[in-house]
Amino acid sequence: MKFNAKLILFTLILAVLATVCKYFFGPDLNWSGFSPVIAIALFAGMIIPNKNASFLMPLAALLLSDIFIHLLYKAGEFVYQGFYSGQWKQYLFLLACTVIGWIVKGRRMAAVAGGAIAAPTLFFLLSNFNVWLSQEVLYAKSFQGLMQCYAAGLPFYKNALIATLVFLPVIILLYNYLTRREARLTVVSA
């Protein structure tokens, strides 16, 4: 796939969107997890023909937003770090959402909507399982402890699910308008 200027600019716009959402929603537990990053990963899997290159858009958007948040944190202007131990696993879990984008690519809107539900669900299951396994958060290493961990993550899951259902159509519409001057919800490869 040829990376054209429009796709690079669009990736930067998505990075700004991710950063703004992290900045305003991240510190509030009622809104934490409301972010476009899963929608970006799904979208990239749906529009970028080269599967290896499809990972670059969500990674770039997430990395740029994490850098900005970390700089704010270091300056004492934000409540949590942009980077933390084991974060690379979260990046991998996000990339699994890109694979779901590959699966729903070119399918009917019902399949895309199913992908918009499947991706945050997969991310929730993987990331909370990882939290349960970690030594940093102390849940009993039993089925009950795992269920407690999943229960504790439900507010984040709800926000991620709603955000994906909101942001995916917005990203698709914005992309189609910026690249083709058409306001439509169908996805056309880059």
Side-chain angles (χ1 to χ4, degrees), residues 44-64:
M46 292 179 350
I47 65 137
I48 299 176
N50 180 315
K51 290 183 177 178
N52 291 331
S54 67
F55 293 125
L56 295 176
M57 180 183 281
L59 285 176
L62 186 56
L63 181 63
L64 291 171

Side-chain angles (χ1 to χ4, degrees), residues 19-190:
T19 304
V20 168
C21 287
K22 278 185 186 181
Y23 182 81
F24 287 107
F25 300 127
D28 182 350
L29 286 179
N30 294 319
W31 285 95
S32 191
F34 190 82
S35 166
V37 294
I38 294 173
I40 293 167
L42 265 172
F43 174 77
M46 292 179 350
I47 65 137
I48 299 176
N50 180 315
K51 290 183 177 178
N52 291 331
S54 67
F55 293 125
L56 295 176
M57 180 183 281
L59 285 176
L62 186 56
L63 181 63
L64 291 171
S65 67
D66 284 342
I67 288 169
F68 187 76
I69 291 298
H70 198 75
L71 291 172
L72 288 175
Y73 174 79
K74 287 287 192 183
E77 299 294 324
F78 201 68
V79 296
Y80 61 81
Q81 300 177 49
F83 296 104
Y84 53 87
S85 172
Q87 183 174 8
W88 63 272
K89 294 174 189 172
Q90 300 299 320
Y91 279 61
L92 286 178
F93 302 152
L94 179 67
L95 295 182
C97 298
T98 303
V99 174
I100 293 173
W102 300 348
I103 294 167
V104 300
K105 176 189 229 169
R107 303 201 189 276
R108 297 182 184 267
M109 289 306 293
V112 173
I117 294 169
T121 302
L122 178 64
F123 187 86
F124 165 74
L125 292 172
L126 292 173
S127 63
N128 278 58
F129 185 78
N130 184 58
V131 167
W132 175 71
L133 283 178
S134 78
Q135 300 301 321
E136 297 158 9
V137 181
L138 299 176
Y139 288 102
K141 301 304 181 229
S142 64
F143 182 75
Q144 182 179 359
L146 178 60
M147 292 302 106
Q148 289 173 337
C149 183
Y150 280 129
L154 284 174
F156 303 100
Y157 170 61
K158 175 195 77 160
N159 291 338
L161 180 62
I162 292 168
T164 304
L165 292 170
V166 168
F167 284 116
L168 184 59
V170 169
I171 291 169
I172 292 169
L173 283 170
L174 182 61
Y175 175 78
N176 285 332
Y177 182 75
L178 291 175
T179 60
R180 294 176 174 76
R181 296 289 182 233
E182 298 175 14
R184 64 181 186 168
L185 266 177
T186 55
V187 180
V188 180
S189 293

